[in-house]
Amino acid sequence: MNKINQKLKEDKKLLSIYFSAGYPNLNDTVSIIENLEKNGVDMIEIGLPFSDPLADGPTIQASSTQALKNGMTTKILFDQLKDIRKTVSIPLIIMGYFNPILQYGVEAFCKKCKDIGIDGLIIPDLPVDVYNEQYKSIFQKYGIINVFLITPQTSVERIEFIDSISEGFIYMVSSASVTGSSSGFGDEQTSYFKRIADMNLKNPQIIGFGISNNETFKQATQYAKGAIIGSAFIKHLTENRLSKISEFTTSVLN
């Protein structure tokens, strides 16, 4: 069974952390992943930096830009992760835009992910229909879960279609804005979380965008299986480098 599905079966609320590979320094990627697992994180999203990140707010954009300046590429990321399964057992997901994956070759990319132990991909700009018609069989061949995003504006029909072709979890974007742009959830977002929970979808939901601390983590996971923190963790990395990762995760989980 894919590690994502194993993790989703656990009787707990899940914390997933996103960071940009190659940031703050090019060779920090593996150390950050190992540190996060040691400090209680359930799942990690490794951002593959891209020059035109549509859904990313200023914090993630800045880290992505710096990672590219540091020299991060798809090949370097794969080289960095080639032995990751010797030290890390939690689910690992690469989050990136479709262009670099297409350039690498979709099948070659999925095969490489399988070879090094990546469990899933999140590709915000790959349309669900295109994936379903052209690429689903490739992902399935290599046992790679593709995670789709929904927003408060996504129609019921679309959500049900996404649910029908998903095999892991649904990434529930808390608002229609870019990442890192809100603090705390209002009534409108809470009612959206509840509305999706009441649909009783077959795939659990994990909420991202706007989660930064224990309060927002608890608010999000009241209605969902887990929550994703990106911008707040990257800010923490920017200020503290790798020295205080345990303080960050403890502050969110306790």
Side-chain angles (χ1 to χ4, degrees):
M1 183 188 286
N2 186 293
K3 286 180 186 291
I4 295 170
N5 297 121
Q6 287 176 345
K7 181 60 72 173
L8 291 167
K9 286 187 182 326
E10 292 183 14
D11 185 21
K12 62 179 292 198
K13 298 297 186 180
L14 305 180
L15 172 61
S16 182
I17 295 279
Y18 168 94
F19 74 98
S20 300
Y23 179 84
N25 300 302
L26 180 63
N27 293 313
D28 285 341
T29 310
V30 170
S31 297
I32 292 171
I33 293 169
E34 290 173 345
N35 243 304
L36 287 171
E37 179 176 46
K38 280 184 196 131
N39 287 292
V41 171
D42 297 291
M43 198 150 46
I44 298 172
E45 292 172 21
I46 305 157
L48 179 59
F50 183 53
S51 55
D52 189 21
L54 302 172
D56 298 329
T59 301
I60 291 176
Q61 277 197 28
S63 68
S64 188
T65 299
Q66 185 58 52
L68 291 170
K69 284 181 184 166
N70 291 345
M72 179 52 71
T73 63
T74 304
K75 183 183 182 304
I76 287 173
L77 177 59
F78 282 146
D79 286 345
Q80 289 179 348
L81 298 177
K82 69 181 189 299
D83 295 319
I84 196 69
R85 285 305 177 197
K86 291 179 180 173
T87 56
V88 172
S89 62
I90 59 174
L92 299 174
I93 297 169
I94 289 179
M95 183 168 186
Y97 292 88
F98 192 50
N99 192 288
I101 297 170
L102 196 59
Q103 287 182 346
Y104 194 92
V106 176
E107 181 150 9
F109 195 94
C110 288
K111 182 180 186 303
K112 193 70 177 174
C113 285
K114 181 182 190 300
D115 290 345
I116 62 178
I118 297 297
D119 306 289
L121 297 175
I122 301 171
I123 313 167
D125 61 338
L126 174 59
V128 184
D129 312 77
V130 174
Y131 164 79
N132 193 44
E133 290 160 18
Q134 297 182 33
Y135 301 113
K136 186 178 180 182
S137 59
I138 296 172
F139 279 66
Q140 289 179 328
K141 177 179 175 182
Y142 295 101
I144 304 296
I145 286 175
N146 196 23
V147 177
F148 297 102
L149 287 74
I150 64 170
T151 74
Q153 284 69 42
T154 308
S155 70
V156 170
E157 294 76 21
R158 195 73 170 164
I159 292 168
E160 287 173 344
F161 176 61
I162 286 170
D163 189 46
S164 73
I165 66 165
S166 295
E167 295 169 333
F169 65 91
I170 292 171
Y171 188 132
M172 199 169 145
V173 177
S174 68
S175 69
S177 61
V178 295
T179 57
S181 56
S182 64
S183 56
F185 298 118
D187 293 344
E188 195 177 329
Q189 285 165 311
T190 305
S191 65
Y192 157 60
F193 297 163
K194 187 173 185 307
R195 173 169 64 85
I196 302 301
D198 289 345
M199 287 180 73
N200 294 314
L201 302 172
K202 73 179 174 75
N203 293 276
Q205 300 90 57
I206 297 184
I207 296 175
F209 292 43
I211 294 136
S212 59
N213 53 29
N214 180 259
E215 181 193 0
T216 44
F217 179 75
K218 281 182 173 167
Q219 280 183 305
T221 55
Q222 184 180 349
Y223 295 104
K225 178 63 179 173
I228 300 156
I229 297 180
S231 297
F233 178 67
I234 289 170
K235 282 178 188 166
H236 185 84
L237 272 184
T238 303
E239 290 162 13
N240 303 286
R241 301 295 157 166
L242 279 61
S243 64
K244 295 183 179 176
I245 286 177
S246 62
E247 287 181 23
F248 182 84
T249 56
T250 301
S251 72
V252 173
L253 291 169
N254 300 306

